[in-house]
């Protein structure tokens, strides 16, 4: 299986503190991989390292046939990687339409019409300011903004965090449709059932390192295998 993304033994620091240790895994073209683990396990730092926001001090990150380890976040984004952060970061004074289309790239398959099909809740909100939306509506908006860039690899950090159950279902529905489109996704998610339902494979992190990896069917069949990493100590 040819990997679109290969993370090879990366180590990342925040000042003197090491956040992730020799992290290695891959994501194949059109695959959905879920990064799971307790809070503080290093999942978000791994996404930020891939995007060049917190550069890896050592190790290597390859995307397709390119070594992107030392590239700037802007250069990495131009190659077709998009990160939707857990902080959402909407432009509060811009309308929903302006927020979404801010990063639109000509040729992206995710046109405004296609995005409204994916996120029907936003259709009636296009003229509202980003700061007037609920948390769930903002999550939909920033996901749509990321897709408008036409990514080949979408990195999603906790898309269901803090959302009402109805919005969690809406996010899950969008992710299933994106999977059906063949979009490659690396997903950090605390909602275990949603992650196992959508992902093809699971990479479990603990204390900043990869502790286990297996397919989602195994995760559903052997819940104890995951619970040992996710239970609060």
């Amino acid at each position: 299986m040819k990997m679109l993304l290969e993370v090879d033994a990366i180590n990342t620091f925040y000042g003197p503190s090491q956040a992730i240790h020799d992290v290695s895994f891959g994501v194949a073209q059109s695959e959905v991989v879920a990064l799971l683990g307790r809070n503080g396990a290093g999942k978000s730092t791994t996404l930020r390292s891939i995007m060049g926001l917190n550069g890896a001090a050592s190790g290597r990150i390859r995307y397709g046939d390119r070594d992107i380890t030392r590239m700037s976040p802007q250069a990495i984004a131009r190659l077709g990687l998009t990160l939707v952060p857990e902080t959402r970061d909407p432009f509060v004074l811009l309308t929903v339409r302006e927020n979404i289309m801010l990063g639109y790239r000509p040729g992206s398959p995710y046109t405004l019409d296609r995005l409204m099909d994916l996120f029907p809740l936003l259709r009636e909100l296009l003229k509202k300011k980003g700061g007037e939306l609920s948390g769930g509506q903002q999550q939909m908006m920033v996901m749509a903004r990321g897709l408008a860039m036409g990514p080949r690899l979408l990195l999603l950090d906790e898309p269901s965090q803090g959302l009402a159950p109805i919005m969690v279902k809406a996010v899950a529905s969008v992710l299933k449709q994106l999977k059906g489109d063949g979009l490659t996704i690396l997903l950090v998610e605390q909602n275990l059932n949603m992650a196992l339902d959508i992902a093809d494979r699971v990479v479990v992190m603990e204390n900043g390192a990869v502790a286990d990896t297996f397919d989602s069917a195994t995760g559903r069949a052997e819940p104890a295998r995951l619970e040992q990493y996710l239970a609060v100590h």
Side-chain angles (χ1 to χ4, degrees):
M1 183 164 46
K2 182 174 175 55
M3 294 292 151
L4 178 63
L5 176 73
E6 294 177 271
V7 178
D8 183 15
I10 64 169
N11 294 276
T12 300
F13 293 77
Y14 290 107
S17 301
Q18 187 166 0
I20 56 175
H21 307 257
D22 292 322
V23 167
S24 298
F25 64 90
V27 184
Q29 180 73 47
S30 300
E31 187 180 33
V32 179
V33 171
L35 274 181
L36 302 179
R38 287 189 292 271
N39 287 336
K43 306 181 300 296
S44 295
T45 300
T46 299
L47 294 190
R48 290 178 61 82
S49 296
I50 292 167
M51 284 301 301
L53 295 166
N54 288 102
S58 61
R60 188 176 71 165
I61 303 169
R62 291 189 64 84
Y63 171 71
D65 60 355
R66 302 284 295 273
D67 187 331
I68 64 172
T69 315
R70 302 287 177 259
M71 285 188 180
S72 69
Q74 295 85 353
I76 292 170
R78 284 194 291 269
L79 291 177
L81 289 81
T82 294
L83 170 64
V84 179
E86 63 177 322
T87 50
R88 299 183 186 138
D89 300 328
F91 294 95
V92 295
L93 297 181
L94 299 182
T95 66
V96 171
R97 179 192 293 269
E98 289 167 340
N99 264 277
I100 292 172
M101 299 308 290
L102 195 65
Y104 178 74
R105 288 180 182 159
S108 168
Y110 295 101
T111 61
L112 186 61
D113 285 343
R114 170 65 174 138
L115 291 169
M116 291 305 98
D117 290 338
L118 282 170
F119 302 96
L121 293 172
L122 294 179
R123 195 181 294 275
E124 303 303 317
L125 302 173
L126 287 173
K127 295 182 180 179
K128 276 202 164 192
K129 295 287 195 293
E132 297 173 348
L133 305 188
S134 69
Q137 291 167 343
Q138 286 185 350
Q139 182 62 53
M140 296 292 185
M141 181 180 71
V142 297
M143 287 177 66
R145 185 175 69 197
L147 289 167
M149 298 175 69
R152 289 183 60 209
L153 173 59
L154 182 65
L155 312 179
L156 284 171
D157 196 359
E158 302 281 13
S160 76
Q161 184 176 15
L163 302 188
I166 190 170
M167 298 304 290
V168 172
K169 288 182 180 179
V171 168
S173 174
V174 170
L175 292 179
K176 288 178 181 178
Q177 291 179 74
L178 297 177
K179 182 176 181 176
D181 289 348
L183 183 61
T184 308
I185 300 172
L186 179 57
L187 169 70
V188 168
E189 181 52 62
Q190 290 286 350
N191 187 316
L192 184 57
N193 290 330
M194 187 176 92
L196 291 176
D197 191 36
I198 294 165
D200 300 297
R201 272 191 311 119
V202 166
V203 176
V204 186
M205 296 190 67
E206 186 176 46
N207 298 324
V210 173
D212 206 348
T213 182
F214 44 86
D215 61 46
S216 294
T218 299
R220 289 189 292 269
E222 302 176 23
R225 187 167 174 178
L226 266 174
E227 287 167 3
Q228 65 177 314
Y229 301 113
L230 302 180
V232 177
H233 294 331

